């Protein structure tokens, strides 16, 4: 049974319509008449004093007293009695759901809270209570989704911030492992189709250390090549994360034979994260150095991202380096816990999928596209992406990808 948490302040009950008072007045008169006709003890004045209004009031006072005394099972039974007498009271039904959760009846509490939110979708106390229940049921991702929605309208609320930190830690602890399988394809007029598959496995060893390894098998320009490697992320300097990556593709012609990267990310404000990256690509006949910053800007459920890369390519030890740059912007909408719909545009030398020999040097293209990431369950998700690229040689490329993700 989850431990009781601090009691929430009682909210004001809406005024009841006058018609309800009239019906209760009639019911009170009928009760008095029955008492007189049956000859029960007590005067008409005593009977009138026990109208439904006063019965509900005394029953509610009794329930509130039991709740304050932490006599939770008795308080639950008392509130259920009040709800039978006054079924339209939102507050009393809220306390039934809260007491159900505090006494271990989590499934019943969840159902009751969902029904209450059908009546009042924006009720703060009910949304907080539902987040608690789903966290206690072992579904931290669902609890986090509710709290993230609340944080957009109640930024800095201590109740939301504290719970969000707790469920985020729990979600990390219960989803330390992640496996992904991605298929991608490129289609260029007059060229053989490009198809590739990447299998990846990652883990979060702790709050300060994560790693990922991946292997790719690609067929492009009638060549089949393999690439393997991994990435390591470590939080060493406060909130800053240092990243390193290394990939090799022995004997490759299209893919770089070696690729190494180094980067750092740091939140500089609640709404802004800054990244800086360097990458070295060693192709069969060229060496490429890439460097540049990224920015992620969060505005409620919206995510605006910008990326810039400068590339320096040298095709032989004696040749002059060829400089090129690329930039991209994207606009995304985050819903649920980690689901994302995104559109993007790019211009420059970057490839949409894997780094490739045909996309270096003086290569230039304009790209537009979009992606959709959605978790069907908290542990199973998919990501779809499409990009159309108009190249500097006058051709148009279509690129697609489908990625499946499994967490545990």
């Amino acid at each position: 049974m989850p431990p009781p948490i601090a009691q929430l302040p009682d909210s004001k009950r809406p005024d009841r319509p006058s018609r309800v008072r009239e019906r209760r007045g009639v019911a009170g008169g009928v009760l008095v008449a029955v008492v007189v006709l049956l000859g029960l003890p007590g005067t008409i004045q005593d009977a009138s004093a026990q109208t439904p209004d006063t019965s509900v009031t005394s029953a509610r006072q009794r329930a509130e007293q039991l709740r304050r005394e932490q006599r939770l099972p008795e308080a639950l039974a008392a509130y259920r009695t009040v709800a039978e007498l006054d079924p339209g009271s939102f507050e009393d039904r809220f306390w039934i759901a809260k007491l159900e959760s505090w006494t271990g009846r989590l499934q019943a509490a969840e159902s009751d809270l969902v029904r209450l939110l059908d009546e009042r979708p924006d009720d703060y106390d009910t949304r907080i209570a539902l987040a608690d229940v789903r966290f206690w049921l072992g579904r931290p991702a669902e609890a986090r989704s509710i709290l993230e929605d609340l944080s957009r309208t109640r930024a800095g609320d201590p109740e939301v911030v504290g719970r969000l930190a707790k469920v985020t830690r729990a979600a990390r602890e219960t989803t330390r492992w992640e496996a992904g399988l991605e298929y991608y394809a490129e289609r260029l007029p007059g060229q053989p189709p490009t198809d590739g598959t990447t299998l990846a496995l990652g883990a979060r060893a702790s709050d300060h250390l994560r790693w990922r390894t991946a292997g790719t098998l690609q067929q492009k320009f009638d060549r089949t090549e393999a690439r393997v490697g991994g990435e390591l992320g470590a939080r060493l300097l406060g909130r800053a994360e240092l990243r390193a990556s290394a990939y090799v593709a022995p004997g490759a012609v299209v893919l770089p034979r070696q690729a190494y990267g180094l980067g750092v990310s740091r939140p500089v404000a609640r709404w802004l994260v800054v990244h800086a990256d360097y990458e070295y690509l060693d192709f069969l006949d060229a060496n490429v150095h890439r460097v540049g910053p990224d920015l992620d800007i969060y505005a409620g459920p919206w995510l605006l991202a910008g990326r810039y890369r400068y590339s320096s390519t040298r095709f032989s030890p004696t040749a002059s380096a060829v400089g090129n740059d690329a930039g991209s912007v994207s606009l995304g909408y985050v819903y649920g816990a980690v689901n994302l719909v995104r559109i993007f545009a790019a211009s420059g030398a970057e490839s949409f999928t894997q780094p490739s020999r045909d996309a270096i040097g003086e290569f230039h293209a304009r790209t537009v596209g979009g992606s959709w990431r959605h978790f069907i369950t908290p542990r199973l998700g998919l990501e779809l992406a499409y990009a159309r690229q108009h190249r500097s040689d006058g051709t148009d490329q279509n690129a697609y990808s489908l990625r499946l993700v499994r967490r545990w």
Side-chain angles (χ1 to χ4, degrees), residues 1-331:
M1 178 185 78
I5 61 176
Q7 297 176 358
L8 300 174
D10 293 343
S11 57
K12 294 182 179 179
R13 291 186 294 277
D15 293 335
R16 302 182 181 88
S18 59
R19 295 192 305 273
V20 176
R21 294 193 182 97
E22 291 170 3
R23 289 198 297 271
R24 288 178 176 168
V26 173
V30 172
L31 178 60
V32 172
V34 170
V35 171
V36 172
L37 290 174
L38 295 179
L40 293 176
T43 65
I44 294 178
Q45 182 179 357
D46 293 336
S48 298
Q50 295 301 318
T51 63
D53 282 338
T54 56
S55 298
V56 172
T57 299
S58 61
R60 183 174 289 120
Q61 289 173 346
R62 172 65 174 162
E64 291 172 353
Q65 182 64 30
L66 290 169
R67 171 168 57 84
R68 294 189 184 99
E69 294 174 359
Q70 297 292 307
R71 296 160 64 181
L72 303 184
E74 296 173 70
L76 175 58
Y79 271 108
R80 284 175 172 163
T81 299
V82 176
E84 291 175 1
L85 295 171
D86 186 8
S89 171
F90 185 93
E91 182 184 352
D92 295 319
R93 287 180 289 132
F94 167 79
W95 279 115
I96 288 174
K98 285 287 288 184
L99 289 162
E100 284 173 337
S101 69
W102 290 350
T103 55
R105 299 168 174 84
L106 297 179
Q107 297 290 351
E110 182 183 29
S111 299
D112 288 344
L113 291 168
V114 168
R115 282 193 290 269
L116 290 171
L117 285 175
D118 287 340
E119 297 179 28
R120 299 185 188 177
D122 297 325
D123 188 76
Y124 170 82
D125 291 341
T126 307
R127 294 169 74 185
I128 285 284
L130 183 59
D132 286 339
V133 167
R134 287 183 172 168
F135 177 70
W136 293 335
L137 282 168
R139 288 143 52 189
E142 295 179 44
R144 184 174 61 188
S145 175
I146 296 171
L147 295 167
E148 286 178 342
D149 287 342
L150 275 171
S151 68
R152 297 184 183 108
T153 56
R154 291 176 173 261
D157 186 302
E159 293 289 333
V160 176
V161 171
R163 284 172 167 83
L164 192 54
K166 180 172 64 176
V167 300
T168 300
R169 287 194 301 269
R172 288 175 179 171
E173 292 171 359
T174 57
T175 58
R176 289 189 179 276
W177 294 87
E178 178 178 296
L181 177 63
E182 179 185 15
Y183 165 77
Y184 64 90
E186 299 174 0
R187 297 295 183 262
L188 266 171
Q191 296 284 356
T194 297
D195 297 282
T197 302
T198 298
L199 179 63
L201 177 66
R204 182 175 293 277
S206 68
D207 286 343
H208 299 280
L209 183 66
R210 62 177 180 84
W211 60 265
R212 178 180 181 268
T213 184
T216 297
L217 187 65
Q218 174 181 277
Q219 185 175 37
K220 186 170 185 175
F221 303 133
D222 288 332
R223 288 187 57 86
T224 300
E225 298 177 348
R227 182 176 190 244
V228 295
E231 305 168 5
L232 184 68
R235 189 174 299 169
L236 302 176
L237 305 171
R239 298 196 297 168
E241 182 185 65
L242 183 67
R243 303 183 305 277
S245 64
Y247 291 90
V248 295
V253 174
V254 180
L255 291 169
R257 295 190 171 189
Q258 301 177 74
Y260 305 100
L262 190 65
V264 63
S265 299
R266 190 182 192 283
V268 296
R270 188 177 60 86
W271 51 272
L272 176 64
V273 181
V274 177
H275 313 266
D277 290 277
Y278 165 77
E279 187 177 21
Y280 171 72
L281 305 174
D282 178 22
F283 288 92
L284 174 65
D285 59 347
N287 295 324
V288 181
H289 299 268
R290 285 181 180 164
V291 63
D294 298 4
L295 296 175
D296 294 334
I297 300 174
Y298 297 87
W302 297 96
L303 169 62
L304 178 64
R307 173 184 170 99
Y308 172 79
R309 288 292 182 274
Y310 177 79
S311 301
S312 176
T313 304
R314 191 182 297 273
F315 288 94
S316 73
T318 59
S320 299
V322 177
N324 206 339
D325 53 13
S328 66
V329 292
S330 67
L331 178 65

